[in-house]
Amino acid sequence: MSAQQSALPIHAPISKDHEHKQQTTTQRKNTLDPYATPDVYYGESHGPRKVAKGRTYSSVEPKHNTIAAGLKPQGRRQSHDAQGSTPRRFLLDVDETLKNLLAREDTDHNIQITIDDHGPKSIFLGTANSGAYHRFDVRGTYMLSNLLQELCQAKKHGRKQIVLDEARLNENPVNRLARLIKDEFWPNLTRRIDGGNIAQVARDPKDWTANPHPRMYVPRGAPEQFEYYQRIAREKPELNLEVIYLADNPSEDAYVRDLNAAPGLLAVAMERIADTKQGEPDYRGLPFVVPGGRFNELYGWDSYMETLGLLINGRADLAEAMVKHFCFCIRHYGKILNANRTYYLCRSQPPFLTDMALRVHEHIRHRPGSTQFLKAAILAAIKDYYGTWMSKPRYDEKSGLSRYVPSGLGVPPETEASHFVHVLTPYAKKHGMTFDQFVEAYNHGTIREPELDEYFLHDRAVRESGHDTSYRLERVAAHLATVDLNSLLYKIEADIARTIRNFFGDNLQIPPEWQAKGQPSVETSSTWDRRARKRRLQMDNLMWDEDKGMFFDYNTEKQEQTGYESATTFWAMWAGAATPRQATIMVERALPRFEVHGGLVSGTEESRGPVSLSRPNRQWDYPFGWAPQQILAWTGLLRYGFEEDAQRLAYRWIYMVTKAFVDFNGVVVEKYDVTQQVAPHKVTAEYGNQGADFKGLAEEGFGWVNASYVYGLNIVNAHMKRALGAVTTWDTFKKMTQGDAVAAKKAFEPPTSVHVAQHVQDAMHEVQHEHESLVGISHLPYSKEDERERQLHHHVEKEGEEGHGHRQETAAEKRVLAAIGLSDEEAGEVDGVNEK
């Protein structure tokens, strides 16, 4: 598989990486844009002398702002200073303000400002118009944590003094998080592998050897990369870079085991650029997005989930590059790898390549070469299908279904050193060895323990499934034809059939380098249609439970369903493997068993069973929820026409992520406890939670949660987005939209230390300016005096309108009603209740 030579096209050099933050023409020219990316806002707009000359010390703000220039500040209204003429801006000394802010507010000393802190939750800031003479009170967890984040950004950009728009502090949290994901999180999660950064990306925190240093392993079929990295090693001896050719069969068990003595990074796709000054071929790594946290490599199904968000955010270039990486991996390593490290050579992950490629193609189909891109991806997917998923031991002939069964010998080396201590220590004592001695002997077969072989067979399968770990799979994973894998393979079969038929004239020629052993050189759609129908029939026969309305994993050894209730049942809807009737039954019977406060839980509490010190919780079980389960369920529900259910579940998930973001200093993490209404990100099960450990400023979020957020925002409607911006729970929003305004009023609990969304504040200010009342919208957290004044206004209005018919809401009132999700009719019901 690796002997095939790589042919890389030459690309012109690019002066600036495309994955760096993209700036619009408006952002470059208009340095006062309050929502500009940090490199513009704290770079260009705070350049030499600009702060002092353009934005600070004049007693009246210059009229060269966006409003005076006739430009709209991205459609967002801004609060104004005491003079009432310009948006409020603060003049801040970065170090001093940061020091005072943390001293006042960060009572638990973790360099975050959250609802766990017990400071005064307010700070006075001087306005820029007055040269910091006039001071304004900024209060509440959300605004103060945003202030901390902005100060950290300014410090990162080397600023000693800044002018800060208040709009950056009280921004609608949904808009803020969506903006951060697009402008900051994606670029900060983007990596390349080439000579420019090999020292950083090749460093492995799991390198357990006595002499950790960067090692680059290159497949035999990519000699141009081998020569390139050797040149980098010669030119930069300080890197101590070791460049090594892989064996012709890099997935052979004993070979991969022996590589553990010198673990390293696996080469992925590159593009050729202009030759060096010395006339040597030069290359640049194609970009890819990493998950975040401790994960710093190209991962399998994480990349697919990230692609869904990248495409929405206009980053088809990144998504396209990741598809090319996967094609490279299949061509040279035989599969899409768990990740591109040597200890993953035997292991894949849930396969999403065809759907990923088709989605990317839809965005780039107008470009030259887009059909060739799609063809390469389909050829790679066909080879992966035959070589990985339809070959033994993963393929079970008797059931006709597939399983996660990666090969490998010994103890998985990439885990934490202590992970298997409780499993292996009794065996080490049995043989009178130290722990390390036993692991060495067991890995190399000088000691045989069949029970351990069985244990690690299933452990590797759990890791390949991506659901590591869960009691659904523990000690049985390699025997399970899972709903998730077989739904994915059904989707691959259906996608390949449709693509061959629609794009390649129902006759796809397979080049020798892509041809799997013993498979045809020409593929037609009918073959793949039959495979898809056969798999769906087998899923119906062996996995579907009519009474419970779910698909269950099938144990190929016991030849029975497991009965473990998992959210992976909805993958059958995502793939289109469920019939319309089955989908209806799933929504009626299965969905209520998984729906909780924050969306879908991974599995039911009943199936997980009791937990204790001896049986601790697993991170892919109840009560935890993960972005992939949400995304695939939403998509599956939309596929079968259950739009309201998809919107409701997306709302729940987005609300939970937003609430944690607001209350905990902008945190976005790998997974959540979806049953918790407060601090759902505080997950300690097994490996903890990636993305929560930061100081002052969260810069990456987490890949598939970032994607789920922007993907979910494309599903919910405009009313829902407004309510989410006001951090409104689903139950409150539901009661408001159902017209039960009194119940909504009773159910609403003003969030503690959470600001009211700016668009709601602005609309209310306009209402007050017009001297109109809005009785019934009493959940806005204004003072009791404001409430009495509104009631008085209402009483006066009612007296003045006696006998003159029903009063019509002003345009401003309607904007407030829209902002909080009440229709005109529902508002009328509120007025009626109050009048009675």
Side-chain angles (χ1 to χ4, degrees):
M1 75 181 66
S2 299
Q4 178 64 31
Q5 298 288 314
S6 301
L8 298 182
I10 298 178
H11 293 261
I14 300 175
S15 60
K16 185 178 181 181
D17 284 351
H18 188 66
E19 73 265 24
H20 288 319
K21 306 169 185 66
Q22 297 175 312
Q23 308 304 329
T24 64
T25 302
T26 301
Q27 286 178 331
R28 293 191 187 101
K29 294 180 179 179
N30 174 21
T31 59
L32 298 185
D33 177 6
Y35 304 106
T37 54
D39 58 340
V40 172
Y41 193 80
Y42 295 113
E44 296 176 18
S45 70
H46 283 74
R49 302 185 61 82
K50 284 187 180 179
V51 171
K53 290 181 66 176
R55 299 186 66 190
T56 54
Y57 298 115
S58 58
S59 58
V60 178
E61 192 75 42
K63 294 185 179 180
H64 312 305
N65 55 49
T66 57
I67 297 175
L71 299 175
K72 295 181 180 179
Q74 295 192 350
R76 297 175 172 91
R77 290 170 49 81
Q78 303 174 49
S79 54
H80 290 60
D81 63 15
Q83 297 174 354
S85 58
T86 59
R88 184 182 290 118
R89 299 186 177 101
F90 302 113
L91 176 62
L92 305 178
D93 180 279
V94 174
D95 289 334
E96 181 182 356
T97 307
L98 185 60
K99 179 181 177 181
N100 292 339
L101 179 65
L102 290 173
R104 288 170 59 89
E105 303 295 344
D106 182 23
T107 58
D108 56 8
H109 308 295
N110 63 349
I111 316 184
Q112 296 178 19
I113 298 175
T114 73
I115 60 173
D116 289 341
D117 291 306
H118 303 293
K121 293 294 169 74
S122 69
I123 190 170
F124 283 96
L125 303 178
T127 62
N129 278 358
S130 66
Y133 179 77
H134 295 299
R135 297 166 69 80
F136 179 78
D137 187 18
V138 172
R139 60 177 59 244
T141 297
Y142 179 67
M143 291 185 70
L144 292 173
S145 68
N146 286 347
L147 175 61
L148 173 60
Q149 295 166 53
E150 296 300 328
L151 291 169
C152 289
Q153 280 282 17
K155 194 173 181 68
K156 181 180 173 183
H157 284 77
R159 298 303 168 200
K160 301 297 184 182
Q161 187 184 67
I162 60 171
V163 170
L164 179 63
D165 291 87
E166 188 183 14
R168 279 180 99 84
L169 303 183
N170 60 18
E171 184 180 3
N172 178 314
V174 171
N175 293 347
R176 181 176 176 87
L177 180 49
R179 177 175 62 81
L180 291 176
I181 290 170
K182 180 180 180 181
D183 295 341
E184 299 183 44
F185 290 0
W186 291 136
N188 291 338
L189 287 171
T190 301
R191 306 285 187 272
R192 292 180 186 269
I193 300 176
D194 53 33
N197 61 0
I198 190 68
Q200 291 75 36
V201 296
R203 185 185 300 117
D204 188 359
K206 300 173 185 175
D207 188 340
W208 47 82
T209 61
N211 181 27
H213 62 275
R215 303 179 186 91
M216 175 57 67
Y217 285 86
V218 181
R220 294 283 178 176
E224 73 286 341
Q225 287 206 34
F226 186 80
E227 295 171 4
Y228 167 79
Y229 284 115
Q230 280 197 318
R231 174 169 64 83
I232 297 299
R234 290 193 304 270
E235 293 175 352
K236 301 179 179 181
E238 69 279 6
L239 297 178
N240 193 22
L241 173 63
E242 189 176 359
V243 186
I244 308 163
Y245 257 137
L246 284 168
D248 287 334
N249 181 12
S251 298
E252 196 273 323
D253 288 357
Y255 174 74
V256 175
R257 176 201 61 198
D258 293 342
L259 285 179
N260 292 334
L265 196 66
L266 297 171
V268 288
M270 304 186 82
E271 61 183 356
R272 184 169 176 180
I273 56 177
D275 292 350
T276 66
K277 293 180 180 179
Q278 293 74 30
E280 296 178 285
D282 205 6
Y283 299 89
R284 185 174 68 158
L286 292 182
F288 58 91
V289 175
V290 301
R294 62 178 178 171
F295 305 110
N296 205 36
E297 303 84 22
L298 172 71
Y299 278 81
W301 72 318
D302 295 75
S303 296
Y304 168 75
M305 301 299 164
E306 291 158 353
T307 291
L308 301 178
L310 289 169
L311 292 175
I312 291 172
N313 285 150
R315 297 306 310 273
D317 59 307
L318 274 176
E320 180 183 0
M322 289 197 285
V323 171
K324 291 179 179 179
H325 283 308
F326 288 157
C327 294
F328 182 97
C329 290
I330 293 170
R331 184 172 181 176
H332 296 290
Y333 307 130
K335 62 180 74 68
I336 293 176
L337 301 174
N338 187 150
N340 63 316
R341 297 280 182 183
T342 52
Y343 37 77
Y344 293 130
L345 276 165
C346 294
R347 188 192 310 162
S348 188
Q349 271 200 321
F352 286 90
L353 180 57
T354 56
D355 191 78
M356 185 177 179
L358 286 166
R359 287 177 181 269
V360 173
H361 179 262
E362 183 66 23
H363 283 73
I364 67 169
R365 60 182 179 177
H366 60 284
R367 301 181 192 169
S370 62
T371 301
Q372 188 57 39
F373 160 83
L374 181 61
K375 182 177 181 179
I378 294 300
L379 290 171
I382 291 173
K383 184 175 182 179
D384 188 39
Y385 174 87
Y386 286 137
T388 304
W389 304 110
M390 295 301 288
S391 298
K392 292 182 179 179
R394 290 182 177 89
Y395 178 64
D396 177 61
E397 291 182 342
K398 189 168 185 179
S399 67
L401 300 172
S402 298
R403 309 169 296 189
Y404 294 111
V405 195
S407 58
L409 294 174
V411 181
E414 79 279 6
T415 58
E416 290 79 0
S418 62
H419 188 78
F420 294 113
V421 168
H422 69 291
V423 175
L424 298 174
T425 298
Y427 291 94
K429 291 181 179 178
K430 170 184 172 182
H431 291 278
M433 296 179 170
T434 66
F435 181 86
D436 292 337
Q437 288 173 338
F438 174 77
V439 171
E440 177 72 13
Y442 173 70
N443 284 351
H444 288 81
T446 57
I447 289 179
R448 298 191 179 278
E449 287 289 350
E451 288 185 355
L452 272 184
D453 294 343
E454 181 77 4
Y455 175 86
F456 285 115
L457 169 70
H458 296 304
D459 181 84
R460 286 190 291 270
V462 171
R463 297 175 190 281
E464 182 170 75
S465 77
H467 295 76
D468 48 332
T469 64
S470 163
Y471 286 117
R472 172 172 77 100
L473 305 172
E474 191 166 285
R475 296 181 182 269
V476 72
H479 295 160
L480 298 184
T482 62
V483 177
D484 35 301
L485 177 57
N486 286 278
S487 296
L488 292 172
L489 294 177
Y490 172 84
K491 181 71 161 58
I492 287 172
E493 292 159 348
D495 285 346
I496 291 174
R498 176 165 55 91
T499 306
I500 291 176
R501 185 165 49 247
N502 295 342
F503 290 92
F504 305 115
D506 213 0
N507 187 293
L508 180 62
Q509 301 288 328
I510 310 298
E513 66 269 22
W514 290 114
Q515 190 168 357
K517 185 177 180 180
Q519 298 302 328
S521 59
V522 177
E523 295 285 356
T524 60
S525 64
S526 60
T527 302
W528 292 90
D529 281 329
R530 286 195 298 272
R531 287 173 177 151
R533 286 195 297 268
K534 180 182 177 182
R535 190 176 300 274
R536 186 165 68 177
L537 180 62
Q538 290 302 93
M539 291 177 68
D540 287 348
N541 292 337
L542 302 179
M543 295 179 164
W544 174 249
D545 186 307
E546 181 82 9
D547 293 334
K548 293 187 177 180
M550 295 186 208
F551 286 93
F552 289 102
D553 300 329
Y554 179 75
N555 190 310
T556 58
E557 296 293 309
K558 296 182 178 179
Q559 299 183 34
E560 63 183 19
Q561 295 178 6
T562 65
Y564 195 104
E565 297 174 340
S566 168
T568 53
T569 188
F570 301 109
W571 290 36
M573 293 178 65
W574 171 84
T579 66
R581 177 178 173 276
Q582 287 171 332
T584 301
I585 295 173
M586 289 173 72
V587 171
E588 292 176 352
R589 301 178 189 174
L591 187 58
R593 296 188 62 78
F594 296 95
E595 184 173 350
V596 293
H597 166 74
L600 289 177
V601 70
S602 292
T604 64
E605 186 174 14
E606 178 182 349
S607 287
R608 181 206 63 186
V611 293
S612 62
L613 289 176
S614 60
R615 193 177 185 271
N617 219 332
R618 301 299 190 210
Q619 63 178 2
W620 280 93
D621 288 335
Y622 182 93
F624 307 117
W626 294 72
Q629 308 290 39
Q630 319 301 318
I631 291 172
L632 298 182
W634 303 338
T635 309
L637 289 164
L638 291 173
R639 172 190 279 267
Y640 288 87
F642 298 100
E643 183 177 354
E644 291 184 2
D645 296 282
Q647 288 182 326
R648 182 180 71 254
L649 292 174
Y651 187 105
R652 287 185 180 278
W653 176 260
I654 294 170
Y655 167 79
M656 179 195 63
V657 174
T658 304
K659 186 67 161 58
F661 175 81
V662 165
D663 287 347
F664 291 92
N665 210 102
V667 72
V668 178
V669 291
E670 176 189 27
K671 55 185 175 285
Y672 294 84
D673 181 342
V674 287
T675 67
Q676 292 297 314
Q677 299 191 29
V678 179
H681 67 294
K682 293 185 177 180
V683 175
T684 58
E686 297 191 286
Y687 308 106
N689 214 351
Q690 301 302 309
D693 185 18
F694 61 89
K695 303 298 183 184
L697 175 68
E699 298 185 81
E700 298 180 342
F702 197 86
W704 58 26
V705 175
N706 299 344
S708 71
Y709 199 82
V710 296
Y711 189 76
L713 286 176
N714 265 21
I715 294 174
V716 298
N717 61 37
H719 287 293
M720 291 176 173
K721 289 179 184 177
R722 295 186 188 105
L724 286 166
V727 199
T728 306
T729 67
W730 167 256
D731 291 336
T732 299
F733 175 79
K734 178 181 177 182
K735 289 171 182 175
M736 287 193 293
T737 55
Q738 285 180 339
D740 188 355
V742 174
K745 178 179 178 180
K746 292 180 179 178
F748 186 84
E749 296 180 6
T752 57
S753 304
V754 177
H755 83 303
V756 179
Q758 186 62 38
H759 63 292
V760 178
Q761 293 186 35
D762 293 337
M764 178 57 76
H765 291 160
E766 189 170 346
V767 172
Q768 292 174 339
H769 179 72
E770 296 175 4
H771 302 289
E772 300 291 344
S773 62
L774 265 181
V775 178
I777 315 304
S778 57
H779 64 281
L780 294 175
Y782 285 85
S783 67
K784 292 182 179 179
E785 288 74 19
D786 291 332
E787 172 63 23
R788 284 196 294 268
E789 184 176 356
R790 286 200 299 273
Q791 293 288 353
L792 178 61
H793 271 298
H794 177 73
H795 178 72
V796 172
E797 292 284 349
K798 181 174 178 295
E799 291 291 328
E801 294 171 4
E802 204 68 53
H804 296 285
H806 183 68
R807 181 176 63 88
Q808 297 296 314
E809 292 87 357
T810 67
E813 288 177 323
K814 289 180 179 179
R815 279 192 288 276
V816 175
L817 293 172
I820 61 175
L822 283 179
S823 67
D824 295 343
E825 293 78 12
E826 291 162 346
E829 293 179 13
V830 175
D831 283 335
V833 169
N834 282 281
E835 287 172 4
K836 290 178 183 179

